[in-house]
């Protein structure tokens, strides 16, 4: 299987006359040519059952109830394996579209060849996502999941698996003319909830507050906080057409919790409240002096631009987070059993496909509750064990946006049983990605990570892939590129994996390793992706994308001319406009010396206040730079524009300072005077030593080499846990734990080495009995060197020597109290503990 992405203007075009341009999509090719012959062969029973070995896709075995004629061709066999076996069940399509049932009988149990012929009437193997079979389910026809979109995506995966072995013509995307209309007088949501609170909110609070409130069910449209209800309602209200508002449709069409058992009246009540709210708002119209294109809406006028281009031949679990509501993230890989994830705790949906995992604050204590996660069942997760151990390799692929770069031991994707028992984990520690992995040659709790200082992990949207193969071990890729980090362990076998673990996103199974950030897509492959495939998947991007064709034919002498942009909903708050190009759908046309300068994006009747990345654009549309069918690229920049009403109702248009003979003389407002910068908080004169500084300091103070085997092993283990920046405000308790472990190892090496020990603690006998070793003279022989070598004397700034002596005497007293039955090595142990108490204190950490 391979999905496709519609390409930017450099893709190949095929001429089809005026009005439509076909844009060829890179990738493998397929065709429907010859299907009639195959259908005829299937109906007449010619040929035998396919004997060629089929690829391992992880789908269930052929349905055991089938006892009809064998598949007539290899393609019929592929159809049975990928589509029929998955849809024939009575809880899917088998009850209706079976023998003697409703046409088309594409899951006919009596003859797989008839089922195949019927299926071909409702599928499009050149673009499976556009199949009638898919659109029917997406429209709400007998979906077996809680999300129609999840059912549609799952069936699309089945059809793509079936189409994967076909070949023929290249897939194309048609750029077709949109409906031409002028930018209208568009209403937009006010910044405050004032009129919403008096007109719509009372209906929501009266009838929706039992369910749609915090802690019960999203969206929180019935929240006791009117501002929360307003924010949650905006994407479900259509100001231009209140009857099309989702709040109304849920009552009128879905019969969702209507009051007084009358859905028609309930829907009308909601619609009238929204109409009153919309009528209270003032519309915006573009300034008459502007040079504007025609107007478009994203969902109503956009052409779907991502027929994908991703490599997904071996995907066994796929999360694209398209549902947008509810508490389930659906696995739409099409590989059974479906590994759906329950959204637990503080997990919210993100616009443009995604989920955000975060921490919440407990109302009573004010403490952060680190419970956000998306977790699958152990039973469904077992398919990961079965399919990954069978192949002996894997790829974990994710689009992630970390909330910050200070998180440590934060689990992004994990297939595990606890914080210390796992099969594989992708996690974050500050600015490093880490992979923890169980195999015959690796410790499941020892991380393989990107190199310190490379700062691979950033608090921005990133494409991350973890590969494992028997030949190369673990490899990490960020934004399509191999990081260059080499797995220190030899590649082993996965035969020790545990099949009782669960897949979790954003946390550990115990909920104590929270990762805060946004997940836009997660895919698990049971074969490792190649470098080229990873690069291709990165270039495809993530989320739903559209082409918007802004008509400019009324401004220049080029018929059917458009400025086209690729547009997607970037997150819950913004749109991304990118890859602009000029094109005429009349392939006989060529632009000739047309100036285009100062392009800006307008939304809902006015130019967006910020994000105008194309404002400095200054190009000439010229025949020498123009390719018929592909157009002329305008810029490689992208622009983020704030979302206002939502993708269903926001109206966009373009403005130009100059296009052809039309010009808008723009007088920029003078810049305000630069304010006097405020004095920030005083910077601390005290800082932290970083990991290498701490290691070298301990080595010099004790005399133990940093290359001492036990010391080097401990430092390699705790290095990621030590400070990486000198800012004292970045101190964490985990830093102190790591320093303590390292200090103990240095002190152990110091005391065990007789030469170093005699030099450091002259006159002290570590072999003496504990009861006699720590008399006044003995204590002085231990404490005085520790203070002199680790703390120093008569410094301008240092801890009180008397306080340190008192603490060490108390420590020795407690450790010496063993009732006269102290172990023979107790004295040496007490010396090591006293050494570690001073060496692991602030005297080593602070500078």
């Amino acid at each position: 299987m391979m999905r496709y992405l519609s390409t930017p203007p450099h893709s190949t075009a095929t001429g089809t006359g005026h009005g439509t341009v076909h844009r060829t999509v890179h990738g493998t090719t397929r065709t429907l040519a010859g299907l009639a012959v195959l259908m005829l062969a299937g109906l007449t029973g010619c040929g035998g059952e396919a004997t060629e070995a089929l690829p391992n896709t992880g789908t269930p075995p052929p349905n055991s109830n089938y006892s009809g004629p064998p598949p007539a061709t290899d393609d019929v066999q592929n159809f049975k394996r990928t589509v029929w076996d998955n849809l024939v069940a009575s809880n899917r399509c088998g009850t209706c579209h079976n023998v003697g049932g409703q046409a088309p009988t594409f899951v006919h149990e009596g003859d797989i060849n008839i089922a195949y012929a019927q299926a071909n009437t409702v599928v499009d193997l050149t673009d499976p996502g556009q199949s009638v079979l898919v659109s029917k389910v997406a429209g709400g026809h007998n979906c077996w999941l809680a999300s129609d979109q999840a059912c549609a995506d799952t069936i699309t995966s089945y059809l793509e698996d079936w189409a994967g072995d076909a070949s023929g013509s290249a897939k194309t995307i048609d750029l077709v003319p949109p409906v031409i209309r002028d930018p209208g007088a568009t209403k937009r949501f006010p910044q405050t909830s004032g009129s919403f609170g008096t007109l719509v909110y009372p209906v929501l609070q009266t009838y929706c507050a039992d369910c749609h409130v915090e802690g019960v069910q999203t969206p929180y449209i019935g929240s006791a906080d009117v501002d929360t209800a307003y924010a949650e309602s905006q994407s479900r209200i259509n100001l231009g057409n209140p009857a099309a508002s989702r709040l109304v449709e849920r009552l009128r069409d879905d019969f969702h919790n209507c009051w007084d058992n009358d859905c028609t009246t309930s829907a009308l009540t909601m619609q009238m409240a929204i109409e009153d709210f919309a009528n209270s708002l003032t519309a915006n119209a573009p300034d008459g002096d502007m040079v504007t294109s025609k107007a478009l809406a994203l969902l109503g006028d956009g052409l779907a631009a991502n027929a994908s281009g991703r490599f997904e031949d071996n995907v066994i679990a796929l999360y694209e987070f398209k549902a947008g509501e509810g508490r389930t993230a659906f696995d739409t890989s099409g590989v059974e059993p479906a590994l759906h994830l329950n959204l637990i705790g503080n997990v919210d949906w993100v616009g443009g496909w995604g989920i955000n995992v975060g921490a919440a604050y407990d109302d009573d204590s004010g403490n952060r509750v680190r419970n956000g996660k998306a977790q699958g069942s152990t039973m469904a997760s077992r398919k990961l064990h079965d399919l990954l151990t069978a192949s002996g390799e894997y790829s974990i692929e994710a689009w992630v946006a970390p909330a910050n770069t200070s998180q440590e031991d934060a689990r992004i994707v994990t297939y595990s049983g606890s914080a210390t028992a796992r099969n594989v984990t992708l996690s974050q520690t500050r600015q490093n990605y880490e992979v923890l992995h169980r195999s015959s040659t690796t410790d499941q709790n020892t991380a393989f990570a990107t190199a310190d200082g490379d700062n691979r992990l950033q608090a921005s949207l990133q494409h991350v892939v973890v590969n494992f193969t028997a030949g190369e071990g673990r490899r990490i890729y960020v934004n399509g590129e191999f990081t260059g980090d080499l797995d220190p362990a030899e590649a082993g076998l996965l035969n020790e994996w545990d099949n009782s673990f669960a897949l979790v996103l954003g946390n550990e199974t115990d909920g104590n390793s929270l990762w805060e950030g946004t997940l836009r897509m997660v895919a698990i492959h049971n074969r490792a992706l190649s470098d080229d495939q990873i690069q291709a998947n990165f270039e495809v991007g993530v989320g739903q994308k559209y082409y918007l064709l802004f008509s400019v034919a009324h401004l220049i002498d080029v018929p059917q001319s458009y400025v086209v942009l690729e547009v997607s909903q970037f997150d819950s708050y913004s749109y991304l406009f990118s890859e602009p190009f000029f094109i005429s759908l009349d392939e006989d046309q060529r632009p000739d010396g047309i100036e285009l300068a100062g392009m800006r994006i307008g939304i809902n009747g006015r130019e967006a206040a910020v994000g105008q990345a194309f404002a400095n654009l200054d190009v000439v549309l010229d025949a020498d730079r123009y390719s018929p069918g592909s157009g002329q690229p305008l810029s490689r920049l992208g622009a983020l524009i704030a979302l206002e009403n939502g993708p269903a109702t926001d109206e966009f248009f373009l403005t130009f300072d100059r296009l052809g003979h039309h010009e808008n003389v723009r007088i920029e407002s003078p810049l305000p005077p630069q304010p006097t910068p405020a004095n920030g908080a005083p910077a601390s004169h005290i800082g932290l030593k970083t990991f290498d500084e701490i290691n070298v300091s301990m080595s010099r103070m004790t005399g133990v080499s940093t290359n001492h085997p036990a010391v080097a092993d401990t430092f390699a283990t705790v290095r990621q846990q030590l400070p990486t920046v000198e800012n004292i405000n970045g101190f964490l308790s985990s830093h102190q734990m790591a320093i303590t472990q390292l200090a103990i190892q240095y002190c152990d090496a110091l005391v065990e080495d007789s030469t170093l020990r005699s030099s450091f603690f002259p006159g002290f006998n570590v072999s003496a009995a504990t009861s006699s070793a720590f008399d006044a003279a003995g204590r002085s022989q231990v404490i005085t060197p520790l203070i002199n070598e680790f703390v120093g004397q008569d410094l301008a700034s240092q801890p009180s020597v008397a306080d340190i002596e008192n603490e060490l005497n108390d420590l020795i007293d407690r450790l010496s109290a063993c009732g006269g039955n102290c172990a023979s090595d107790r004295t040496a142990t007490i010396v090591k503990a006293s050494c570690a108490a001073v060496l692991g204190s602030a005297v080593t950490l602070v500078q």
Side-chain angles (χ1 to χ4, degrees), residues 212-347:
H212 291 284
V213 294
E214 295 86 339
V216 181
Q217 182 178 335
T218 58
Y220 306 137
I221 55 177
S223 172
D225 181 357
V226 64
D227 292 330
T228 298
Y230 181 47
E232 294 283 300
S233 299
Q234 287 182 28
S235 62
R236 296 162 176 85
I237 291 176
N238 188 324
L239 295 176
N241 183 9
S245 299
R246 185 61 176 158
L247 293 178
V248 176
E249 292 176 340
R250 286 288 276 164
L251 297 166
R252 184 188 63 225
D253 302 331
D254 300 341
F255 314 113
H256 175 75
N257 291 343
C258 306
W259 46 91
D260 299 329
N261 297 318
D262 185 350
C263 288
T264 300
T265 301
S266 299
L268 187 59
T269 300
M270 184 70 74
Q271 179 179 329
M272 289 191 296
I274 295 174
E275 286 174 347
D276 290 342
F277 173 49
N279 291 335
S280 71
L281 305 178
T282 302
N284 300 301
D287 189 318
D289 293 331
M290 288 182 175
V291 179
T292 66
S293 71
K294 299 301 183 180
L296 299 167
L298 185 64
L299 298 187
D301 302 310
L303 301 175
N306 57 334
S308 204
R310 290 177 38 79
F311 287 87
E312 294 182 336
D313 290 17
N314 299 292
V315 167
I316 60 173
L318 176 63
Y319 306 94
E320 296 180 288
F321 309 113
K322 294 182 181 180
E325 59 184 4
R327 301 304 293 174
T328 303
F330 293 98
D331 170 13
T332 57
S333 66
V335 177
E336 300 294 338
L339 177 46
H340 304 317
L341 306 178
N342 294 320
L343 305 186
I344 301 169
N346 193 39
V347 181

Side-chain angles (χ1 to χ4, degrees), residues 316 383-396 415 422-425 435-442 444 466-471 473-474 487 490-499 501 524-528:
I316 60 173
K383 77 171 177 179
L384 301 182
H385 168 274
D386 295 344
L387 296 176
L388 299 184
T389 57
S391 66
E393 59 186 66
Y394 60 77
S395 278
I396 297 173
Y415 178 30
R422 74 195 72 262
N423 290 331
V424 62
T425 297
V435 183
L436 299 92
H437 157 100
R438 177 200 297 250
S439 77
S440 58
T441 59
T442 54
Q444 62 183 316
V466 176
N467 262 10
F468 173 77
T469 65
R474 292 168 289 182
D487 193 342
E490 293 184 5
L493 303 176
L494 308 182
N495 55 352
E496 298 179 4
W497 275 27
D498 193 315
N499 66 9
F501 290 165
I524 298 177
H525 311 247
N526 71 335
R527 292 287 182 188

Side-chain angles (χ1 to χ4, degrees), residues 585-620:
L585 300 188
D586 183 341
E587 293 189 6
D588 293 332
Q589 297 296 321
R590 304 288 187 275
D592 184 19
I594 300 172
E595 293 185 78
L596 187 157
M599 186 172 78
R600 291 172 173 81
I601 298 168
I603 178 171
N604 297 331
R606 57 191 178 85
E607 290 179 343
V610 295
Q612 300 290 3
F614 308 118
N616 294 324
L617 188 64
D618 191 354
V619 298
V620 175

Side-chain angles (χ1 to χ4, degrees), residues 60-73:
N63 187 280
S64 58
N65 293 327
Y66 181 73
S67 58
T73 68

Side-chain angles (χ1 to χ4, degrees), residues 545-606:
K545 303 174 185 178
Y546 297 89
Y547 277 141
L548 287 186
L549 281 70
F550 294 97
S551 176
V552 292
H554 61 293
L555 300 175
I556 59 177
D557 190 22
V558 180
Q560 299 192 61
S561 57
Y562 300 86
V563 172
V564 185
L565 289 102
E566 185 180 278
V567 186
S568 62
Q569 186 177 347
F570 185 72
D571 55 25
S572 297
Y573 312 100
S574 61
Y575 302 101
L576 173 62
F577 289 73
S578 61
E579 302 288 348
F581 63 94
F582 170 84
I583 195 169
S584 172
L585 300 188
D586 183 341
E587 293 189 6
D588 293 332
Q589 297 296 321
R590 304 288 187 275
D592 184 19
I594 300 172
E595 293 185 78
L596 187 157
M599 186 172 78
R600 291 172 173 81
I601 298 168
I603 178 171
N604 297 331
R606 57 191 178 85

Side-chain angles (χ1 to χ4, degrees), residues 436-781:
L436 299 92
H437 157 100
R438 177 200 297 250
S439 77
S440 58
T441 59
T442 54
D443 180 348
Q444 62 183 316
N445 293 311
T446 299
F448 161 57
T450 52
D452 293 324
D454 286 354
N455 298 335
R456 295 286 184 179
L457 184 146
Q458 298 292 324
S460 60
L461 184 63
Q462 292 186 304
H463 180 246
V464 185
V465 176
V466 176
N467 262 10
F468 173 77
T469 65
E472 296 180 323
R474 292 168 289 182
R475 290 164 67 95
I476 302 174
Y477 297 76
V478 178
N479 291 341
E481 296 183 355
F482 173 48
T483 62
D485 301 289
L486 301 178
D487 193 342
E490 293 184 5
L493 303 176
L494 308 182
N495 55 352
E496 298 179 4
W497 275 27
D498 193 315
N499 66 9
S500 65
F501 290 165
L503 177 67
V504 185
L505 307 183
N507 213 323
E508 191 52 82
T509 52
D510 59 11
N512 292 322
S513 299
L514 175 72
W515 176 78
E516 296 183 71
T518 298
L519 291 162
R520 299 294 301 275
M521 189 280 292
V522 175
I524 298 177
H525 311 247
N526 71 335
R527 292 287 182 188
L529 293 167
S530 69
D531 289 10
D532 289 342
Q533 290 170 339
I534 292 171
Q535 180 65 35
N537 283 6
F538 166 64
E539 290 178 352
V540 166
V542 68
Q544 178 65 299
K545 303 174 185 178
Y546 297 89
Y547 277 141
L548 287 186
L549 281 70
F550 294 97
S551 176
V552 292
H554 61 293
L555 300 175
I556 59 177
D557 190 22
V558 180
Q560 299 192 61
S561 57
Y562 300 86
V563 172
V564 185
L565 289 102
E566 185 180 278
V567 186
S568 62
Q569 186 177 347
F570 185 72
D571 55 25
S572 297
Y573 312 100
S574 61
Y575 302 101
L576 173 62
F577 289 73
S578 61
E579 302 288 348
F581 63 94
F582 170 84
I583 195 169
S584 172
L585 300 188
D586 183 341
E587 293 189 6
D588 293 332
Q589 297 296 321
R590 304 288 187 275
D592 184 19
I594 300 172
E595 293 185 78
L596 187 157
M599 186 172 78
R600 291 172 173 81
I601 298 168
I603 178 171
N604 297 331
R606 57 191 178 85
E607 290 179 343
V610 295
Q612 300 290 3
F614 308 118
N616 294 324
L617 188 64
D618 191 354
V619 298
V620 175
L621 305 178
D622 192 81
D624 292 338
R625 304 177 188 177
Y626 181 86
S627 298
S630 295
Q632 178 179 337
L634 300 179
S635 174
R636 296 186 62 83
L637 297 179
L640 283 176
I641 301 298
L643 179 148
E644 293 186 357
N645 297 339
T649 55
D650 278 335
E651 183 183 74
F652 304 101
F653 58 96
L654 302 179
T655 69
F656 304 92
D657 288 352
R658 185 170 59 258
L659 182 57
H661 300 298
H662 296 269
E663 186 172 6
N664 175 29
V665 179
R666 187 182 298 270
I667 302 176
E668 300 287 354
S669 301
L671 294 175
Q674 186 172 358
T676 303
N679 291 326
S684 174
H685 294 291
I686 301 174
L688 299 177
K689 292 181 180 178
T690 59
F691 53 95
D692 281 331
E693 293 172 331
I694 291 171
N695 190 35
V696 172
S697 295
M698 289 187 176
S699 174
R700 291 183 178 179
M701 287 189 285
T702 61
V704 177
S705 171
T706 57
N707 295 321
H708 185 286
V711 167
D713 287 346
T714 301
F715 180 63
T717 300
V718 303
R719 183 180 183 185
Q720 298 287 336
Q721 200 174 329
L722 292 170
T724 58
V725 294
E726 296 180 349
N727 188 346
I728 191 70
N729 294 325
F731 175 75
L732 301 172
S733 59
S734 59
H735 294 155
Q736 186 59 58
M737 294 301 298
I739 290 169
T740 301
Q741 294 178 59
L742 191 59
I744 290 172
Q745 194 61 64
Y746 267 105
C747 289
D748 179 78
L750 168 61
V751 174
E752 291 297 324
D753 187 309
S754 58
T755 302
L756 291 175
R757 181 181 69 238
S758 299
S759 175
F760 197 95
F761 302 107
F764 186 79
N765 183 9
V766 296
S767 300
T770 302
S771 58
S772 60
F774 295 103
D775 57 14
R779 291 185 183 223
S780 177
Q781 291 169 338

